[in-house]
Amino acid sequence: MGRATAVAHPNIALVKYWGKADDKRNLPANPSLSMNLAALTTVTTVEFRPDQASDLVTIDGRPAAGQALERVVAHLDRVRALAGSDERAWVASRNDFPAAAGLASSSSAFAALTLAATQAAGLSLDEVGLSRLARLGSGSACRSVPAGIVLWEMEDAHQVAPPEHWDLRDAIAIVTGQAKAVSSHDGHALAPTSPLYAARLAAVPEWLAAVKDGLARRDLAAMGPAIEADALAMHAVMMTSRPSLLYWLPATVAVLRAVRAWRDGGLEAYFTVDAGPNVHCLCLAAAAGEVENRLKAVPGVQQVVVSGPGNGVRSVNQHLF
Ligand code: DP6
């Protein structure tokens, strides 16, 4: 057993995963489609050590505790079971973006952890194997394993377009860097309590078809309305579940309204929002500078990060320790 380091990008879902068909196998209630974000990165180093009594995990320089630690240890247990080993690990993970603020840090976290831990354990999994294993750590992580635009259906996630297919941009308006009160992991369990849950699931195939079609034709106007509708439907499910989840802040709504006003004025951008208050604005590369400047001027927006489509998970030789 040795040491290995992996790099992964979080992904932004254009059609969301919200609710599970099978909790134990972490299978989604609906197919989802996402784009990896090149500008945001998680780096994770794993080393298994024969003399260590328990797993030691740091995230962004601080010891992990509570649910975050439990999820990492459970994932290391899966890798140990595959490798037939009981060695404990030292894990260090670094994000170059605020964790748990709705920037989907669990997607890049479990994609990077899966590759680093399996390699450190001497295993060599192919992309399908890595993606399936990453899914057990966090569902959305299976979409950060392949590169570019990725479709996740039940067990498997696979690429539908490479990063260079299209110069799409995600301009992310960060309205807070604080961790959210309810993780998406816990939120999924509440989804079926919403009277709107079944209605959203019934509508997803149509939205997914529109997004796939727009992607294939590189036509943002063909997919934008479906992206917005699905994000709003997911938040309607969140807001109407019991207990109710309200992830938005006033600045979230300000950005949603601004994006629509800009569009009325001819600037092509469409929004989506994950389980948090930050807003992702999808636009073409040529419009990204303008969208970024306008987002910065919306009251409550603290920072804007612009990202193009990113690669899949990969190993690197620079270790964190
Ligand atoms: C709102 O993948 O974080 O970002 O499988 O329980 O770890 P677990 O959930 P997670 O859920 C992501 C939800 C979302 C939408 C999406 O990325 O599709």
Side-chain angles (χ1 to χ4, degrees):
M1 307 279 269
R3 183 171 57 159
T5 300
V7 174
H9 303 294
N11 60 73
I12 179 65
L14 309 182
V15 175
K16 308 294 190 188
Y17 145 54
W18 196 247
K20 302 187 188 203
D22 183 329
D23 195 36
K24 223 166 140 240
R25 295 163 67 208
N26 218 17
L27 299 176
N30 67 275
S32 56
L33 186 143
S34 63
M35 175 174 106
N36 287 347
L37 299 174
L40 306 175
T41 306
T42 300
V43 183
T44 301
T45 298
V46 177
E47 182 172 21
F48 288 98
R49 297 176 169 187
D51 51 346
Q52 208 167 287
S54 59
D55 294 315
L56 297 175
V57 180
T58 65
I59 299 173
D60 293 328
R62 284 181 296 277
Q67 196 189 51
L69 177 64
E70 280 167 27
R71 290 179 71 184
V72 172
V73 171
H75 206 57
L76 292 169
D77 285 342
R78 293 181 189 108
V79 174
R80 279 187 280 260
L82 281 175
S85 159
D86 59 3
E87 284 184 16
R88 303 290 117 177
W90 190 6
V91 178
S93 188
R94 270 191 192 284
N95 299 304
D96 63 4
F97 55 97
L103 295 189
S105 61
S106 72
S107 62
S108 50
F110 281 94
L113 179 66
T114 301
L115 180 58
T118 52
Q119 289 199 336
L123 299 166
S124 167
L125 272 61
D126 62 9
E127 188 174 279
V128 171
L130 285 171
S131 179
R132 286 184 175 185
L133 183 55
R135 188 194 80 236
L136 298 175
S138 179
S140 55
C142 74
R143 298 187 312 232
S144 281
V145 172
I149 312 269
V150 177
L151 175 66
W152 172 25
E153 292 174 299
M154 295 311 271
E155 289 223 78
D156 292 328
H158 63 266
Q159 181 183 85
V160 293
E164 57 278 9
H165 169 71
W166 194 13
D167 253 359
L168 262 187
R169 291 289 179 272
D170 178 10
I172 311 163
I174 298 175
V175 302
T176 177
Q178 281 186 353
K180 55 204 172 202
V182 179
S183 70
S184 44
H185 192 65
D186 294 339
H188 283 288
L190 301 178
T193 67
S194 164
L196 306 183
Y197 181 57
R200 173 179 175 263
L201 293 181
V204 161
E206 193 187 319
W207 291 327
L208 183 61
V211 172
K212 280 169 142 177
D213 175 60
L215 273 171
R217 295 191 287 114
R218 299 187 185 85
D219 182 348
L220 188 55
M223 59 197 251
I227 292 170
E228 288 194 356
D230 181 55
L232 292 171
M234 179 183 74
H235 280 272
V237 169
M238 292 163 163
M239 289 174 194
T240 52
S241 63
R242 278 166 284 173
S244 163
L245 299 175
L246 182 56
Y247 286 111
W248 296 356
L249 292 173
T252 312
V253 181
V255 174
L256 303 189
R257 298 190 81 100
V259 168
R260 288 199 167 166
W262 301 338
R263 214 158 61 224
D264 289 344
L267 181 63
E268 204 185 12
Y270 295 87
F271 62 73
T272 184
V273 187
D274 272 344
N278 301 318
V279 184
H280 296 249
C281 301
L282 278 304
C283 60
L284 300 179
E290 180 67 20
V291 171
E292 180 182 6
N293 287 338
R294 292 195 192 186
L295 283 172
K296 282 181 176 159
V298 176
V301 173
Q302 296 177 356
Q303 194 191 340
V304 179
V305 178
V306 180
S307 181
N311 271 315
V313 70
R314 60 220 179 258
S315 57
V316 293
N317 291 324
Q318 279 164 314
H319 306 296
L320 291 178
F321 57 83

